[in-house]
C-alpha cells in the first residue's frame, strides 16, 4: 500500500504549509484552484500555436476541459495581436483560474505614443484585430479589455475572462 505522507518541503522554517510528496496517480487532474501559469513567447508567427498547446495542456491537466474551445480561440487572438504589434519582441501571456472564472492575459511591449492621434489609431487597430475574441467572450458571457500604455507604464495588456457557466454552453447555441 502506497502511503501519502506530507511533510514540509520548504527550507524556510517559517513556512508551515505541508506538501504532498507523492502526487496523484498519472491521469488524475491537478486541483483547479492551482491553475496559475505564465509564459513568454517571441512575437512571431509560430507563437499562437505554442500558446494554444500550452493552454490546452494546462486546462486538461487541471480538470478544466470545459474551457478548451473558447480559451484556445481567445489565446490565439491575444497572442497573434501581440505579435503583430510587437514583432520579434517578447510577449507575456498568462492564464489563471479563480472562483469559476478563467482569465487569459497578454502583455506586449508596444509602448505609448506621445501623439494622441497615433495612440487612438493603435487602440482602434487593436480592437479591430480582436473582433473574433470579442465574439467568443460575448458568447461566454465574459468580459475583455485593453489596458493602453501610458507615459508611466510600458507595453499594452489585453485580457479576457471566461466564466465557467458560459464556457459550458459555448458553441452549443443555434442561430
Amino acid at each position: 500500500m502506497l502511503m501519502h505522507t506530507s511533510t514540509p518541503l520548504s527550507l524556510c522554517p517559517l513556512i508551515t504549509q505541508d506538501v504532498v510528496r507523492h502526487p496523484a496517480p498519472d491521469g488524475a487532474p491537478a486541483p483547479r484552484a492551482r491553475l496559475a501559469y505564465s509564459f513568454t513567447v517571441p512575437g512571431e508567427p509560430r507563437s499562437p500555436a505554442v500558446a494554444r498547446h500550452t493552454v490546452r495542456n494546462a486546462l486538461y491537466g487541471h480538470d478544466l476541459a470545459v474551457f478548451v474551445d473558447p480559451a484556445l480561440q481567445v489565446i490565439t487572438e491575444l497572442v497573434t495581436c501581440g505579435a503583430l504589434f510587437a514583432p520579434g519582441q517578447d510577449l507575456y501571456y498568462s492564464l489563471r483560474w479563480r472562483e469559476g472564472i478563467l482569465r487569459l492575459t497578454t502583455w506586449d511591449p508596444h509602448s505609448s505614443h506621445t501623439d494622441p492621434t497615433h495612440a487612438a489609431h493603435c487602440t482602434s487597430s487593436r480592437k479591430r484585430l480582436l473582433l473574433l475574441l470579442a465574439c467568443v467572450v460575448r458568447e461566454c458571457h465574459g468580459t475583455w479589455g485593453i489596458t493602453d500604455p501610458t507615459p508611466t507604464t510600458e507595453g499594452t495588456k489585453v485580457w479576457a475572462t471566461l466564466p465557467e457557466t458560459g464556457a459550458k454552453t459555448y458553441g452549443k447555441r443555434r442561430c
Side-chain angles (χ1 to χ4, degrees):
M1 173 182 215
L2 180 62
M3 300 282 297
H4 289 277
T5 61
S6 64
T7 57
L9 293 177
S10 173
L11 294 177
C12 176
L14 300 177
I15 295 176
T16 59
Q17 179 181 0
D18 287 343
V19 178
V20 176
R21 286 186 183 262
H22 301 286
D26 286 341
R32 287 178 157 203
R34 299 234 170 132
L35 179 77
Y37 292 98
S38 301
F39 302 93
T40 303
V41 293
E44 59 183 43
R46 75 178 128 209
S47 292
V50 171
R52 280 193 305 274
H53 180 76
T54 56
V55 168
R56 179 186 299 113
N57 286 338
L59 292 173
Y60 279 121
H62 286 272
D63 196 27
L64 292 166
V66 68
F67 286 100
V68 167
D69 288 340
L72 294 184
Q73 289 281 327
V74 168
I75 201 63
T76 299
E77 297 302 307
L78 290 172
V79 173
T80 299
C81 185
L84 290 171
F85 273 87
Q89 298 182 53
D90 285 345
L91 311 174
Y92 163 86
Y93 71 96
S94 68
L95 63 153
R96 305 272 187 266
W97 164 261
R98 298 287 184 271
E99 300 175 9
I101 297 174
L102 182 68
R103 181 179 180 98
L104 298 109
T105 304
T106 59
W107 174 88
D108 65 67
H110 184 77
S111 53
S112 64
H113 297 280
T114 54
D115 181 349
T117 304
H118 291 146
H121 176 72
C122 271
T123 299
S124 174
S125 295
R126 198 179 288 263
K127 285 180 179 178
R128 278 193 309 278
L129 281 172
L130 294 171
L131 286 176
L132 179 57
L133 173 137
C135 291
V136 172
V137 170
R138 183 180 62 239
E139 187 168 334
C140 289
H141 306 289
T143 58
W144 74 282
I146 300 172
T147 304
D148 293 324
T150 65
T152 59
T153 63
E154 290 184 28
T156 303
K157 181 169 62 171
V158 185
W159 53 269
T161 61
L162 302 172
E164 187 171 15
T165 54
K168 284 180 180 177
T169 59
Y170 175 75
K172 295 182 181 176
R173 296 182 188 92
R174 298 201 181 355
C175 295

